Amino acid sequence: MRGRQRSYSGLVGVIVAAAILNGHAQQTGNGGEWRSYGSDLANTKYAPLDQINGTNVKNLRIAWRHPAIDPELKAAYPKLSVTNYYRATPLMIEGLLFVQNGLGLVEALEAATGKAVWAQEASTRGFEGLNEGRASRGIAYFRGDQDRRILTVRGDHLFALDAKTGKGFSDFGDNGKVDLRQGLNPRLSQFRWAGVPLVVKDVVVIGAPGLDYPSRKEGTPGDVRGYDVRTGKLRWTFHVIPRPGEFGVGTWEDDSWKYTGSANLWSMMSADLDLGYVYLPLTSPTNDWYGGHRRGDNLFSDSLVCVNAQTGERVWHFQIVHHDLWDYDLPAAPILADITVDGRSIKAVVQLTKQGFAFVFDRVTGKPVWPIEERPVPQSTVPGEKTSATQPFPLKPPAFTRQGISVDDLIDFTPELRAQAKAMTEQYVMGPIYTPPPLMGTGPGEKKGQLQVPGWVGGADWNGGAFDPDTGLLYVPSVQAAVFSVVAPGNPKETNFRYWNPLSPSEREVFGPQGLPLLKPPYGTIVAIDLNRGEIAWTVPNGEGPRQHPLLKHLNLPPLGQAGRAAPLATKTLLFVGEGDPVAAATPPGGGGTKFRAYDKATGAVLWETEFPAGTTGAPMTYRVDGKQYVVVAIGSAKHDAELIALSLP
């Protein structure tokens, strides 16, 4: 198998790659390509292709399939640590697809056939080298005067690969790679980032993984860094937790900036080339549920930050959650959209949130397009905690998901189910959005914790939205489910937090009566937001949901929606969305599914659907090559090996 892997980047592979890169350049053009993770640096997830349309979409078929990990490789190394949660989205440039495989190594494939052209070789040969990385969500592309580069993060390193051969550039970093642990806190033993590098002119911007430790208040800030795309030299660092003399350090009371970690960028970024700005969606600080050790608003956690791509200097920012106690980090790439509001043209940036908000700003100035109010929110009763008195609420667009929970939100298909759900919730605190986690009760009649809606999967999550520049509609898949949130006194033998959440992720899941969801439907939706008007145009359920459950089947219910992580793709003619496979981490109980559908963009009506052997796990993309349009998406499940599936017309 090792010999076969080397052959990808041998002479035959080089000849094929060069021929494809040169031969397809004229006939595809930018309109038929997919050069960035989200189609473009604006992360619109939109392509102006129309060969596949509402009339012929019913004729879509599988054109080719490509396994995330070569079966021969898996057979040769049966102890490889692999996951079928394969989130990779390919790029398509001049007839070649570029994508990380399941081990995080980049492969180049013929876009028309899916056949391998070359594969990146691991830095270390054998099992150890193969096992040191996993697939991230995507890679980046740079086209210079003399070369074309693929920028990819695998394990601890950033690599620059020749797009024709897959070989590293020896003059980039240390013989083709940059150690991403350099300059970070020595406590960081490894660097594992599933985000996507972003190339802005001659700078490649890299985020950071969740660099905190659930049992320790001391963590590593997840600083964002910019590197020279040709040399790998560090150009700048943006401190996500400010240091003395930097803007925002005063929002960390009692010098808590010294030891608090995270506030990292684990998701995707966007950029405006004309402005030279990069938009960073940052996340929550250590820890997610208790902040008595980090009093204050805690900039730049949970903030959308605009920085200069060449220098890393802050241009503007907006904090979307003050002093986070809900794991409401910013999960999705900001979407750049040119819109018209009340006759005024605006270069906008839209940040989708787990809370179910779409915050819309002027991306030049950071000024909100519509007013954002600071509203009072419930306050914590946990000793030592200091909740923010208010949180920001945008007046437009309206929230696209349920926020907060009361008895009226509980499942009510039958009186019996409502009574069971009500009895199940009597031991929990329920309330509006931003109700803080309570202390876990231990005595008779005391509350065991809080039901949080939305949960930390959303609302929106990393799958984000898709923007149609022709209509101004933004399409957002959304999850609707409750989670269990609580804090308890910390055991000094386990943690140095005064209070922490002692529950494992599985213990935080919330189940309803008889295996059904706790809440009323819909459980997963697709929402179209008119960004020119700041209004919701339509909302439809995403999938069937549990309507065939024995207790519901006789009710002949309409589709109820699947609570799965599903990413959208918009084309000139259609909207494509899967259901998201339950193999995805933190998918709500009963969520996800194996269907993939095409929707009418104007109404949300389903025009076509197919069933894959597993649900979608990555964001779909589309391109045109040799006169034919393809739609490609990653799938995988607990019972089905991860792979790429390409669809096209006959």
Side-chain angles (χ1 to χ4, degrees), residues 227-286:
Y227 293 87
D228 189 290
V229 75
R230 295 183 178 87
T231 67
K233 182 180 179 180
L234 180 65
R235 296 264 290 265
W236 53 261
T237 299
F238 177 78
H239 295 138
V240 297
I241 296 179
R243 300 179 180 183
E246 296 179 341
F247 183 92
V249 71
T251 64
W252 298 85
E253 296 182 14
D254 303 319
D255 290 339
S256 54
W257 61 268
K258 290 182 178 179
Y259 52 79
T260 305
S262 203
N264 55 300
L265 193 160
W266 61 260
S267 188
M268 285 70 69
M269 302 161 273
S270 57
D272 186 314
L273 278 180
D274 293 335
L275 296 173
Y277 292 167
V278 178
Y279 302 89
L280 313 176
L282 301 181
T283 64
S284 52
T286 316

Side-chain angles (χ1 to χ4, degrees), residues 526 542 566-567 576-580 593 595-597 599 616 620:
I526 303 170
N542 181 17
F576 292 93
V577 185
E579 294 177 335
K595 295 290 184 67
F596 187 67
R597 298 181 177 89
Y599 294 83
T616 56

Side-chain angles (χ1 to χ4, degrees), residues 384-425:
E385 186 58 86
K386 185 181 178 182
T387 326
S388 174
T390 63
Q391 294 291 349
F393 288 75
L395 300 190
K396 282 189 172 186
F400 56 79
T401 192
R402 178 185 284 114
Q403 293 181 328
I405 180 173
S406 69
V407 171
D408 291 339
D409 296 305
L410 302 180
I411 191 170
D412 64 350
F413 295 117
T414 67
E416 293 79 12
L417 287 173
R418 164 54 70 89
Q420 292 175 40
K422 188 175 180 180
M424 295 174 70
T425 59

Side-chain angles (χ1 to χ4, degrees), residues 261-317:
S262 203
N264 55 300
L265 193 160
W266 61 260
S267 188
M268 285 70 69
M269 302 161 273
S270 57
D272 186 314
L273 278 180
D274 293 335
L275 296 173
Y277 292 167
V278 178
Y279 302 89
L280 313 176
L282 301 181
T283 64
S284 52
T286 316
N287 72 45
D288 287 328
W289 319 110
Y290 176 72
H293 58 290
R294 52 168 173 85
R295 294 184 172 199
D297 281 353
N298 305 148
L299 287 175
F300 291 96
S301 69
D302 300 294
S303 299
L304 177 62
V305 182
C306 171
V307 302
N308 184 304
Q310 294 299 307
T311 66
E313 294 176 323
R314 180 184 62 90
V315 179
W316 59 262
H317 78 279

Side-chain angles (χ1 to χ4, degrees), residues 432-502:
I433 189 172
Y434 297 120
T435 296
L439 269 179
M440 181 184 291
T442 57
E446 293 184 351
K447 301 294 185 181
K448 305 299 182 184
Q450 174 224 0
L451 294 177
Q452 177 182 321
V453 178
W456 50 82
V457 180
D461 208 281
W462 66 263
N463 33 285
F467 176 69
D468 186 334
D470 295 329
T471 64
L473 290 181
L474 174 66
Y475 302 99
V476 185
S478 177
V479 169
Q480 305 202 47
V483 297
F484 175 37
S485 179
V486 72
V487 294
N491 183 341
K493 295 181 179 179
E494 300 177 287
T495 179
N496 65 355
F497 286 121
R498 184 179 179 185
Y499 296 96
W500 69 329
N501 189 332

